[in-house]
mmCIF file of all heavy atoms in Angstrom:
data_model
loop_
_atom_site.group_PDB
_atom_site.id
_atom_site.type_symbol
_atom_site.label_atom_id
_atom_site.label_comp_id
_atom_site.label_asym_id
_atom_site.label_seq_id
_atom_site.Cartn_x
_atom_site.Cartn_y
_atom_site.Cartn_z
ATOM 1 N N LEU A 14 16.994 24.097 -54.187
ATOM 2 C CA LEU A 14 16.528 22.718 -54.026
ATOM 3 C C LEU A 14 15.071 22.702 -53.587
ATOM 4 O O LEU A 14 14.760 22.857 -52.402
ATOM 5 C CB LEU A 14 17.384 21.984 -52.992
ATOM 6 C CG LEU A 14 18.895 21.962 -53.242
ATOM 7 C CD1 LEU A 14 19.604 21.302 -52.072
ATOM 8 C CD2 LEU A 14 19.214 21.240 -54.545
ATOM 9 N N PRO A 15 14.145 22.506 -54.507
ATOM 10 C CA PRO A 15 12.730 22.522 -54.129
ATOM 11 C C PRO A 15 12.330 21.368 -53.219
ATOM 12 O O PRO A 15 11.292 21.439 -52.546
ATOM 13 C CB PRO A 15 12.004 22.436 -55.484
ATOM 14 C CG PRO A 15 13.007 21.877 -56.432
ATOM 15 C CD PRO A 15 14.338 22.354 -55.966
ATOM 16 N N ASP A 16 13.153 20.294 -53.162
ATOM 17 C CA ASP A 16 12.820 19.155 -52.308
ATOM 18 C C ASP A 16 13.599 19.153 -51.000
ATOM 19 O O ASP A 16 13.583 18.164 -50.262
ATOM 20 C CB ASP A 16 13.068 17.843 -53.055
ATOM 21 C CG ASP A 16 14.505 17.696 -53.543
ATOM 22 O OD1 ASP A 16 15.247 18.691 -53.501
ATOM 23 O OD2 ASP A 16 14.874 16.582 -53.979
ATOM 24 N N LEU A 17 14.282 20.241 -50.676
ATOM 25 C CA LEU A 17 14.997 20.330 -49.410
ATOM 26 C C LEU A 17 14.003 20.293 -48.261
ATOM 27 O O LEU A 17 12.985 20.981 -48.275
ATOM 28 C CB LEU A 17 15.801 21.634 -49.366
ATOM 29 C CG LEU A 17 16.723 21.847 -48.168
ATOM 30 C CD1 LEU A 17 17.857 20.825 -48.160
ATOM 31 C CD2 LEU A 17 17.291 23.269 -48.189
ATOM 32 N N GLY A 18 14.315 19.481 -47.238
ATOM 33 C CA GLY A 18 13.364 19.300 -46.150
ATOM 34 C C GLY A 18 13.415 20.369 -45.082
ATOM 35 O O GLY A 18 12.401 20.648 -44.423
ATOM 36 N N ALA A 19 14.580 20.975 -44.871
ATOM 37 C CA ALA A 19 14.732 21.989 -43.826
ATOM 38 C C ALA A 19 16.088 22.656 -43.991
ATOM 39 O O ALA A 19 17.056 22.005 -44.375
ATOM 40 C CB ALA A 19 14.630 21.357 -42.437
ATOM 41 N N ALA A 20 16.158 23.940 -43.665
ATOM 42 C CA ALA A 20 17.423 24.676 -43.758
ATOM 43 C C ALA A 20 17.623 25.512 -42.503
ATOM 44 O O ALA A 20 16.699 26.207 -42.059
ATOM 45 C CB ALA A 20 17.448 25.569 -44.999
ATOM 46 N N VAL A 21 18.843 25.441 -41.965
ATOM 47 C CA VAL A 21 19.170 26.174 -40.728
ATOM 48 C C VAL A 21 20.452 26.974 -40.939
ATOM 49 O O VAL A 21 21.560 26.442 -40.773
ATOM 50 C CB VAL A 21 19.331 25.226 -39.529
ATOM 51 C CG1 VAL A 21 19.579 26.034 -38.250
ATOM 52 C CG2 VAL A 21 18.106 24.339 -39.362
ATOM 53 N N PRO A 22 20.342 28.231 -41.320
ATOM 54 C CA PRO A 22 21.532 29.088 -41.436
ATOM 55 C C PRO A 22 21.869 29.738 -40.090
ATOM 56 O O PRO A 22 20.999 30.350 -39.464
ATOM 57 C CB PRO A 22 21.110 30.151 -42.458
ATOM 58 C CG PRO A 22 19.732 29.758 -42.931
ATOM 59 C CD PRO A 22 19.156 28.886 -41.883
ATOM 60 N N PHE A 23 23.118 29.590 -39.666
ATOM 61 C CA PHE A 23 23.629 30.325 -38.525
ATOM 62 C C PHE A 23 24.391 31.532 -39.057
ATOM 63 O O PHE A 23 25.378 31.392 -39.766
ATOM 64 C CB PHE A 23 24.592 29.459 -37.714
ATOM 65 C CG PHE A 23 23.957 28.543 -36.704
ATOM 66 C CD1 PHE A 23 23.330 27.378 -37.112
ATOM 67 C CD2 PHE A 23 24.008 28.836 -35.348
ATOM 68 C CE1 PHE A 23 22.769 26.507 -36.185
ATOM 69 C CE2 PHE A 23 23.450 27.985 -34.413
ATOM 70 C CZ PHE A 23 22.819 26.819 -34.826
ATOM 71 N N TYR A 24 23.910 32.742 -38.726
ATOM 72 C CA TYR A 24 24.554 34.009 -39.071
ATOM 73 C C TYR A 24 25.202 33.984 -40.453
ATOM 74 O O TYR A 24 26.395 34.248 -40.602
ATOM 75 C CB TYR A 24 25.552 34.445 -37.994
ATOM 76 C CG TYR A 24 26.265 33.318 -37.255
ATOM 77 C CD1 TYR A 24 27.341 32.648 -37.822
ATOM 78 C CD2 TYR A 24 25.838 32.925 -35.992
ATOM 79 C CE1 TYR A 24 27.981 31.623 -37.150
ATOM 80 C CE2 TYR A 24 26.478 31.897 -35.309
ATOM 81 C CZ TYR A 24 27.546 31.255 -35.891
ATOM 82 O OH TYR A 24 28.182 30.223 -35.226
ATOM 83 N N GLY A 25 24.373 33.678 -41.462
ATOM 84 C CA GLY A 25 24.859 33.624 -42.839
ATOM 85 C C GLY A 25 24.269 34.720 -43.699
ATOM 86 O O GLY A 25 23.153 35.210 -43.447
ATOM 87 N N ASN A 26 25.000 35.115 -44.725
ATOM 88 C CA ASN A 26 24.486 36.105 -45.674
ATOM 89 C C ASN A 26 23.236 35.586 -46.368
ATOM 90 O O ASN A 26 23.169 34.421 -46.771
ATOM 91 C CB ASN A 26 25.548 36.434 -46.723
ATOM 92 C CG ASN A 26 26.623 37.345 -46.189
ATOM 93 O OD1 ASN A 26 26.334 38.320 -45.511
ATOM 94 N ND2 ASN A 26 27.875 37.028 -46.487
ATOM 95 N N GLN A 27 22.257 36.457 -46.518
ATOM 96 C CA GLN A 27 21.007 36.073 -47.170
ATOM 97 C C GLN A 27 21.069 36.323 -48.675
ATOM 98 O O GLN A 27 21.809 37.197 -49.132
ATOM 99 C CB GLN A 27 19.847 36.852 -46.569
ATOM 100 C CG GLN A 27 19.687 36.681 -45.071
ATOM 101 C CD GLN A 27 20.263 37.843 -44.283
ATOM 102 O OE1 GLN A 27 19.912 39.000 -44.530
ATOM 103 N NE2 GLN A 27 21.134 37.574 -43.327
ATOM 104 N N PRO A 28 20.278 35.573 -49.436
ATOM 105 C CA PRO A 28 20.199 35.837 -50.876
ATOM 106 C C PRO A 28 19.535 37.184 -51.148
ATOM 107 O O PRO A 28 19.016 37.840 -50.240
ATOM 108 C CB PRO A 28 19.316 34.683 -51.391
ATOM 109 C CG PRO A 28 19.327 33.648 -50.309
ATOM 110 C CD PRO A 28 19.479 34.411 -49.032
ATOM 111 N N ALA A 29 19.521 37.562 -52.411
ATOM 112 C CA ALA A 29 18.769 38.758 -52.807
ATOM 113 C C ALA A 29 17.287 38.517 -52.535
ATOM 114 O O ALA A 29 16.788 37.393 -52.682
ATOM 115 C CB ALA A 29 18.984 39.048 -54.285
ATOM 116 N N PRO A 30 16.551 39.540 -52.126
ATOM 117 C CA PRO A 30 15.129 39.358 -51.838
ATOM 118 C C PRO A 30 14.337 38.733 -52.990
ATOM 119 O O PRO A 30 13.354 38.022 -52.750
ATOM 120 C CB PRO A 30 14.648 40.778 -51.536
ATOM 121 C CG PRO A 30 15.855 41.458 -50.975
ATOM 122 C CD PRO A 30 17.015 40.898 -51.766
ATOM 123 N N THR A 31 14.773 38.956 -54.219
ATOM 124 C CA THR A 31 14.057 38.377 -55.353
ATOM 125 C C THR A 31 14.130 36.849 -55.373
ATOM 126 O O THR A 31 13.321 36.196 -56.050
ATOM 127 C CB THR A 31 14.632 38.916 -56.676
ATOM 128 O OG1 THR A 31 16.057 38.720 -56.688
ATOM 129 C CG2 THR A 31 14.322 40.401 -56.832
ATOM 130 N N GLU A 32 15.089 36.267 -54.637
ATOM 131 C CA GLU A 32 15.237 34.812 -54.587
ATOM 132 C C GLU A 32 14.267 34.152 -53.622
ATOM 133 O O GLU A 32 14.091 32.931 -53.656
ATOM 134 C CB GLU A 32 16.675 34.455 -54.183
ATOM 135 C CG GLU A 32 17.735 34.863 -55.193
ATOM 136 C CD GLU A 32 17.640 34.031 -56.452
ATOM 137 O OE1 GLU A 32 17.986 32.836 -56.401
ATOM 138 O OE2 GLU A 32 17.206 34.580 -57.478
ATOM 139 N N ALA A 33 13.641 34.919 -52.757
ATOM 140 C CA ALA A 33 12.809 34.341 -51.693
ATOM 141 C C ALA A 33 11.651 33.509 -52.243
ATOM 142 O O ALA A 33 11.234 32.524 -51.617
ATOM 143 C CB ALA A 33 12.287 35.446 -50.793
ATOM 144 N N VAL A 34 11.142 33.854 -53.396
ATOM 145 C CA VAL A 34 10.004 33.116 -53.955
ATOM 146 C C VAL A 34 10.371 31.678 -54.314
ATOM 147 O O VAL A 34 9.489 30.830 -54.479
ATOM 148 C CB VAL A 34 9.444 33.820 -55.210
ATOM 149 C CG1 VAL A 34 8.850 35.170 -54.837
ATOM 150 C CG2 VAL A 34 10.512 33.970 -56.283
ATOM 151 N N LYS A 35 11.656 31.379 -54.405
ATOM 152 C CA LYS A 35 12.104 30.028 -54.751
ATOM 153 C C LYS A 35 12.206 29.111 -53.539
ATOM 154 O O LYS A 35 12.398 27.901 -53.700
ATOM 155 C CB LYS A 35 13.459 30.088 -55.442
ATOM 156 C CG LYS A 35 13.488 30.926 -56.716
ATOM 157 C CD LYS A 35 14.895 31.022 -57.285
ATOM 158 C CE LYS A 35 14.962 31.913 -58.498
ATOM 159 N NZ LYS A 35 16.353 32.062 -59.006
ATOM 160 N N VAL A 36 12.094 29.662 -52.344
ATOM 161 C CA VAL A 36 12.292 28.877 -51.128
ATOM 162 C C VAL A 36 11.047 28.048 -50.829
ATOM 163 O O VAL A 36 9.959 28.592 -50.647
ATOM 164 C CB VAL A 36 12.613 29.787 -49.924
ATOM 165 C CG1 VAL A 36 12.777 28.952 -48.654
ATOM 166 C CG2 VAL A 36 13.865 30.603 -50.194
ATOM 167 N N LYS A 37 11.210 26.733 -50.795
ATOM 168 C CA LYS A 37 10.114 25.822 -50.480
ATOM 169 C C LYS A 37 10.304 25.149 -49.119
ATOM 170 O O LYS A 37 9.343 24.671 -48.523
ATOM 171 C CB LYS A 37 9.983 24.747 -51.562
ATOM 172 C CG LYS A 37 9.837 25.303 -52.977
ATOM 173 C CD LYS A 37 8.664 26.256 -53.106
ATOM 174 C CE LYS A 37 8.565 26.857 -54.511
ATOM 175 N NZ LYS A 37 7.520 27.909 -54.593
ATOM 176 N N ALA A 38 11.549 25.091 -48.655
ATOM 177 C CA ALA A 38 11.845 24.444 -47.380
ATOM 178 C C ALA A 38 11.533 25.378 -46.215
ATOM 179 O O ALA A 38 11.683 26.598 -46.331
ATOM 180 C CB ALA A 38 13.322 24.048 -47.319
ATOM 181 N N PRO A 39 11.131 24.826 -45.077
ATOM 182 C CA PRO A 39 11.029 25.659 -43.870
ATOM 183 C C PRO A 39 12.419 26.098 -43.420
ATOM 184 O O PRO A 39 13.391 25.344 -43.550
ATOM 185 C CB PRO A 39 10.373 24.734 -42.851
ATOM 186 C CG PRO A 39 10.675 23.348 -43.327
ATOM 187 C CD PRO A 39 10.733 23.430 -44.822
ATOM 188 N N LEU A 40 12.513 27.319 -42.908
ATOM 189 C CA LEU A 40 13.786 27.892 -42.480
ATOM 190 C C LEU A 40 13.782 28.138 -40.972
ATOM 191 O O LEU A 40 12.778 28.582 -40.409
ATOM 192 C CB LEU A 40 14.039 29.229 -43.169
ATOM 193 C CG LEU A 40 14.068 29.290 -44.692
ATOM 194 C CD1 LEU A 40 14.264 30.740 -45.148
ATOM 195 C CD2 LEU A 40 15.168 28.410 -45.240
ATOM 196 N N LEU A 41 14.917 27.870 -40.359
ATOM 197 C CA LEU A 41 15.184 28.281 -38.988
ATOM 198 C C LEU A 41 16.469 29.101 -39.038
ATOM 199 O O LEU A 41 17.535 28.569 -39.367
ATOM 200 C CB LEU A 41 15.360 27.069 -38.073
ATOM 201 C CG LEU A 41 15.791 27.356 -36.632
ATOM 202 C CD1 LEU A 41 14.740 28.196 -35.904
ATOM 203 C CD2 LEU A 41 16.036 26.046 -35.883
ATOM 204 N N VAL A 42 16.361 30.399 -38.753
ATOM 205 C CA VAL A 42 17.475 31.321 -38.990
ATOM 206 C C VAL A 42 17.978 31.853 -37.651
ATOM 207 O O VAL A 42 17.207 32.411 -36.864
ATOM 208 C CB VAL A 42 17.033 32.490 -39.895
ATOM 209 C CG1 VAL A 42 18.239 33.314 -40.322
ATOM 210 C CG2 VAL A 42 16.285 31.968 -41.120
ATOM 211 N N HIS A 43 19.285 31.676 -37.403
ATOM 212 C CA HIS A 43 19.902 32.125 -36.162
ATOM 213 C C HIS A 43 20.803 33.335 -36.432
ATOM 214 O O HIS A 43 21.630 33.298 -37.352
ATOM 215 C CB HIS A 43 20.753 31.011 -35.550
ATOM 216 C CG HIS A 43 20.000 29.768 -35.204
ATOM 217 N ND1 HIS A 43 18.955 29.765 -34.298
ATOM 218 C CD2 HIS A 43 20.144 28.471 -35.619
ATOM 219 C CE1 HIS A 43 18.492 28.522 -34.177
ATOM 220 N NE2 HIS A 43 19.198 27.733 -34.973
ATOM 221 N N PHE A 44 20.662 34.365 -35.602
ATOM 222 C CA PHE A 44 21.474 35.574 -35.713
ATOM 223 C C PHE A 44 22.168 35.877 -34.390
ATOM 224 O O PHE A 44 21.608 35.646 -33.319
ATOM 225 C CB PHE A 44 20.606 36.790 -36.058
ATOM 226 C CG PHE A 44 19.998 36.765 -37.419
ATOM 227 C CD1 PHE A 44 18.676 36.390 -37.597
ATOM 228 C CD2 PHE A 44 20.737 37.135 -38.533
ATOM 229 C CE1 PHE A 44 18.101 36.382 -38.854
ATOM 230 C CE2 PHE A 44 20.172 37.137 -39.799
ATOM 231 C CZ PHE A 44 18.848 36.753 -39.971
ATOM 232 N N ALA A 45 23.369 36.416 -34.470
ATOM 233 C CA ALA A 45 23.996 37.051 -33.321
ATOM 234 C C ALA A 45 23.498 38.491 -33.244
ATOM 235 O O ALA A 45 23.224 39.120 -34.263
ATOM 236 C CB ALA A 45 25.514 37.025 -33.463
ATOM 237 N N GLU A 46 23.406 39.014 -32.040
ATOM 238 C CA GLU A 46 22.933 40.395 -31.908
ATOM 239 C C GLU A 46 23.990 41.395 -32.380
ATOM 240 O O GLU A 46 23.669 42.375 -33.064
ATOM 241 C CB GLU A 46 22.555 40.692 -30.457
ATOM 242 C CG GLU A 46 22.006 42.093 -30.280
ATOM 243 C CD GLU A 46 21.560 42.382 -28.864
ATOM 244 O OE1 GLU A 46 22.340 42.134 -27.913
ATOM 245 O OE2 GLU A 46 20.429 42.864 -28.695
ATOM 246 N N VAL A 47 25.249 41.139 -32.033
ATOM 247 C CA VAL A 47 26.319 42.080 -32.382
ATOM 248 C C VAL A 47 26.962 41.600 -33.682
ATOM 249 O O VAL A 47 28.028 40.988 -33.689
ATOM 250 C CB VAL A 47 27.358 42.174 -31.251
ATOM 251 C CG1 VAL A 47 28.358 43.300 -31.543
ATOM 252 C CG2 VAL A 47 26.686 42.395 -29.903
ATOM 253 N N ASP A 48 26.283 41.854 -34.792
ATOM 254 C CA ASP A 48 26.723 41.308 -36.081
ATOM 255 C C ASP A 48 26.109 42.117 -37.215
ATOM 256 O O ASP A 48 25.370 41.581 -38.056
ATOM 257 C CB ASP A 48 26.313 39.830 -36.173
ATOM 258 C CG ASP A 48 27.010 39.085 -37.299
ATOM 259 O OD1 ASP A 48 27.913 39.658 -37.945
ATOM 260 O OD2 ASP A 48 26.653 37.911 -37.541
ATOM 261 N N GLU A 49 26.421 43.390 -37.258
ATOM 262 C CA GLU A 49 25.793 44.280 -38.228
ATOM 263 C C GLU A 49 26.071 43.854 -39.666
ATOM 264 O O GLU A 49 25.223 44.008 -40.551
ATOM 265 C CB GLU A 49 26.276 45.720 -38.001
ATOM 266 C CG GLU A 49 25.668 46.750 -38.949
ATOM 267 C CD GLU A 49 24.155 46.886 -38.817
ATOM 268 O OE1 GLU A 49 23.601 46.457 -37.782
ATOM 269 O OE2 GLU A 49 23.540 47.417 -39.762
ATOM 270 N N ARG A 50 27.245 43.303 -39.896
ATOM 271 C CA ARG A 50 27.618 42.880 -41.255
ATOM 272 C C ARG A 50 26.598 41.898 -41.834
ATOM 273 O O ARG A 50 26.263 41.954 -43.017
ATOM 274 C CB ARG A 50 29.009 42.243 -41.228
ATOM 275 C CG ARG A 50 29.541 41.771 -42.563
ATOM 276 C CD ARG A 50 30.963 41.251 -42.408
ATOM 277 N NE ARG A 50 31.039 40.181 -41.422
ATOM 278 C CZ ARG A 50 30.755 38.900 -41.681
ATOM 279 N NH1 ARG A 50 30.389 38.545 -42.888
ATOM 280 N NH2 ARG A 50 30.843 37.979 -40.743
ATOM 281 N N ILE A 51 26.088 40.996 -41.012
ATOM 282 C CA ILE A 51 25.112 40.002 -41.459
ATOM 283 C C ILE A 51 23.685 40.512 -41.299
ATOM 284 O O ILE A 51 22.822 40.300 -42.162
ATOM 285 C CB ILE A 51 25.290 38.689 -40.674
ATOM 286 C CG1 ILE A 51 26.637 38.041 -41.022
ATOM 287 C CG2 ILE A 51 24.140 37.717 -40.951
ATOM 288 C CD1 ILE A 51 26.783 37.611 -42.460
ATOM 289 N N ASN A 52 23.421 41.195 -40.203
ATOM 290 C CA ASN A 52 22.043 41.529 -39.847
ATOM 291 C C ASN A 52 21.432 42.624 -40.712
ATOM 292 O O ASN A 52 20.208 42.719 -40.832
ATOM 293 C CB ASN A 52 21.976 41.958 -38.382
ATOM 294 C CG ASN A 52 22.384 40.848 -37.428
ATOM 295 O OD1 ASN A 52 22.517 39.692 -37.832
ATOM 296 N ND2 ASN A 52 22.581 41.188 -36.168
#
């Protein structure tokens, strides 16, 4: 969504790095420390 105003993922799987160029919205990303599967 190129017109998305803001995105806040809590401990969510990330896209493939090649997808990063499509991100237009500002991101606020929250991680748990003990969460190797996601981190």
Side-chain angles (χ1 to χ4, degrees):
L14 305 175
D16 58 348
L17 186 65
V21 184
F23 276 76
Y24 32 79
N26 284 316
Q27 303 100 54
T31 53
E32 295 291 289
V34 294
K35 302 176 183 177
V36 178
K37 306 304 177 187
L40 302 177
L41 174 62
V42 189
H43 300 300
F44 292 100
E46 182 177 50
V47 188
D48 194 7
E49 181 63 18
R50 181 176 57 83
I51 293 296
N52 297 348

